[in-house]
Amino acid sequence: MINQEFLAPFKYQFDESIIKSISQYGIIKHFRKDDIIMDIGQDLTHVPLLLKGNIKVLREDLNGSELLLYVLESGDTCSMSLTCCMAKSSSKIRAVADKDSSVIMIPNAQMTEWFHTNESWRNFILQSYQIRFNEMLETIDTLAFMKMDERLFKYLNDHVKLNASETISKTHQEIAEDLNTSRVVISRLLKQLENEGKIILSRNKIEVIAF
């Protein structure tokens, strides 16, 4: 059983009965940075609720290249995993811990039951679908309408907002993988942004100074 004190990030979203049910049925799992939480093709038996940390949700093409769809933060769930659970299909995405993270895993049976019997849980699920849908539209717009230097600068600014820190601790290779391009391209564009006075580069760190 989960101590209800750990469920503080969800108390503004759920009524007391769901908090008690999550405490009863949920299982807390801890992941280190870069751990795979959910993988493509995996049969999903639980729905994740992010308690602490950040999780990257990725798609993979036939060549094994990954594309970042969106990032989950504390209090979020992954709508794509919800869809797969309700349809009883295998995962279509990969979820990776972007930093050390703690996740509450909710069994599928409980997730489905609560959806039909509890308004606060149902509203949470429907709102999650809408938020993730909007984020995926933003990703599509970025790919379709932005040049790579614009995508990179948006990516850096999004990370500043997500982590409430102007310093980003990522390698050029990690950024390249998130943006589905090469490290050489990212290194060149980062240097260009530094020359424009928008960022300061140091070893495995980027400080964003313009927004």
Side-chain angles (χ1 to χ4, degrees), residues 148 152 171-173 175-177 179 181-191:
M148 182 55 74
L152 174 59
T171 66
H172 294 192
Q173 182 61 41
I175 296 172
E177 290 171 357
L179 294 179
T181 188
S182 70
R183 183 193 59 77
V184 172
V185 168
I186 293 300
S187 295
R188 175 174 57 80
L189 292 177
L190 286 172
K191 190 62 181 177

Side-chain angles (χ1 to χ4, degrees), residues 31-37 54-56 95-101:
F31 299 91
R32 304 298 299 271
K33 185 180 185 300
D34 296 328
D35 282 352
I36 295 176
I37 298 169
N54 293 332
I55 295 175
K56 298 190 296 186
V96 179
D98 198 33
K99 59 184 179 182
D100 292 354
S101 301

Side-chain angles (χ1 to χ4, degrees), residues 14-186:
F14 301 136
D15 61 29
E16 191 61 30
S17 66
I18 286 296
I19 292 295
K20 289 180 180 178
S21 296
I22 293 174
S23 174
Q24 179 180 356
Y25 292 103
I27 301 170
I28 294 182
K29 292 192 175 183
H30 304 285
F31 299 91
R32 304 298 299 271
K33 185 180 185 300
D34 296 328
D35 282 352
I36 295 176
I37 298 169
M38 182 188 308
D39 210 353
I40 296 168
Q42 178 181 337
D43 290 331
L44 301 180
T45 59
H46 292 72
V47 174
L49 298 178
L50 182 53
L51 192 60
K52 182 180 68 174
N54 293 332
I55 295 175
K56 298 190 296 186
V57 178
L58 310 153
R59 278 284 287 166
E60 184 180 80
D61 67 16
L62 295 176
N63 297 318
S65 298
E66 294 178 332
L67 174 66
L68 178 66
L69 297 179
Y70 50 80
V71 179
L72 303 175
E73 52 188 320
S74 176
D76 285 344
T77 189
C78 177
S79 59
M80 296 191 73
S81 67
L82 292 170
T83 301
C84 292
C85 285
M86 296 184 78
K88 297 181 180 179
S89 62
S90 58
S91 174
K92 304 297 188 296
I93 53 92
R94 176 174 295 123
V96 179
D98 198 33
K99 59 184 179 182
D100 292 354
S101 301
S102 299
V103 178
I104 301 173
M105 304 302 257
I106 305 295
N108 288 354
Q110 271 62 50
M111 185 273 292
T112 303
E113 177 185 338
W114 298 343
F115 185 83
H116 293 293
T117 61
N118 186 275
E119 184 178 4
S120 68
W121 177 264
R122 184 165 55 251
N123 288 340
F124 170 72
I125 297 300
L126 295 175
Q127 288 169 6
S128 296
Y129 276 121
Q130 186 62 55
I131 292 169
R132 302 289 90 80
F133 179 73
N134 289 342
E135 289 174 338
M136 289 181 66
L137 285 181
E138 184 177 350
T139 298
I140 293 170
D141 287 346
T142 298
L143 287 169
F145 305 123
M146 284 187 175
K147 297 178 181 178
M148 182 55 74
D149 59 337
E150 295 172 321
R151 288 178 58 198
L152 174 59
F153 193 55
K154 180 181 182 301
Y155 171 92
L156 297 176
N157 275 278
D158 287 346
H159 268 267
V160 168
K161 296 172 185 175
L162 182 66
N163 295 291
S165 172
E166 295 175 359
T167 300
I168 300 170
S169 298
K170 280 185 172 290
T171 66
H172 294 192
Q173 182 61 41
E174 289 173 326
I175 296 172
E177 290 171 357
D178 284 348
L179 294 179
N180 195 24
T181 188
S182 70
R183 183 193 59 77
V184 172
V185 168
I186 293 300

